[in-house]
Amino acid sequence: EAGVAQSPRYKIIEKRQSVAFWCNPISGHATLYWYQQILGQGPKLLIQFQNNGVVDDSQLPKDRFSAERLKGVDSTLKIQPAKLEDSAVYLCASSARDRAQETQYFGPGTRLLVL
Amino acid sequence: SQKIEQNSEALNIQEGKTATLTCNYTNYSPAYLQWYRQDPGRGPVFLLLIRENEKEKRKERLKVTFDTTLKQSLFHITASQPADSATYLCALGSGGGADGLTFGKGTHLIIQP
């Protein structure tokens, strides 16, 4: 079974530029999450999708971050404009949403450096 | 506000010994708690889940306990090996529809041969 795919793996941009990250979850997983992991910290939830609807985006900085999950499969996370403090690893995760299994499967992440 | 505390400093353990990692939390009533392993440059990998009504879970050399009165979980690796060296993350889940995890900072475990 293929895991969660993310691209690109690395991205370097200058502040005020825009950037987009892509995630393809495990086939059949209805729930998709985006997390931000700053160096030395644990992952922080940004947004959760159930199919193509948003379940929780309370920690998403909506003035600069946006995310979508068209057709309930792939997802894109965008930052516009980027700030220095956005430098982090952006992790995508998916889960099957089976009530007996809340395990989340993480992708390798996209490492973003904002200069 | 919700707070999860894990030993922020590295934990050095001699090979063959039992490694014990601690996760304490405040201002939270989780439905379940999970432990993940994270290697450098990789995403977290699920290890164990324990629910609020469970005291202990085991999987091979791993054991996790959950004390909702103390608001603490202990994660044990018995017969530790150098390959167990990694960062271990504690994560709390509230259950229900919005079940994004709240993670601690993680503990960096080093198993020395």
Side-chain angles (χ1 to χ4, degrees), chain A residues 5 7 11-12 22 26 29 32 49 63-64 69-70 77 83-84 94:
Chain A
S7 68
K11 191 74 177 179
I12 300 175
W22 173 82
I26 292 174
H29 279 193
L32 185 147
F49 291 95
D63 58 334
R64 299 183 300 105
R69 191 184 184 197
L70 301 177
L77 177 69
K83 292 185 175 181
L84 297 177
S94 68

Side-chain angles (χ1 to χ4, degrees), chain A residues 15-72:
Chain A
K15 60 183 179 183
R16 292 188 290 273
Q17 286 187 325
S18 302
V19 65
F21 313 129
W22 173 82
C23 172
N24 183 248
I26 292 174
S27 177
H29 279 193
T31 308
L32 185 147
Y33 313 81
W34 283 101
Y35 290 86
Q36 178 194 58
Q37 186 172 25
I38 294 172
L39 187 64
Q41 305 287 321
K44 172 189 169 184
L45 178 70
L46 293 176
I47 189 168
Q48 176 188 345
F49 291 95
Q50 177 73 13
N51 295 309
N52 61 351
V54 175
V55 174
D56 182 4
D57 63 357
S58 58
Q59 300 189 91
L60 186 73
K62 299 179 185 65
D63 58 334
R64 299 183 300 105
F65 286 65
S66 64
E68 60 182 9
R69 191 184 184 197
L70 301 177
K71 300 182 181 179

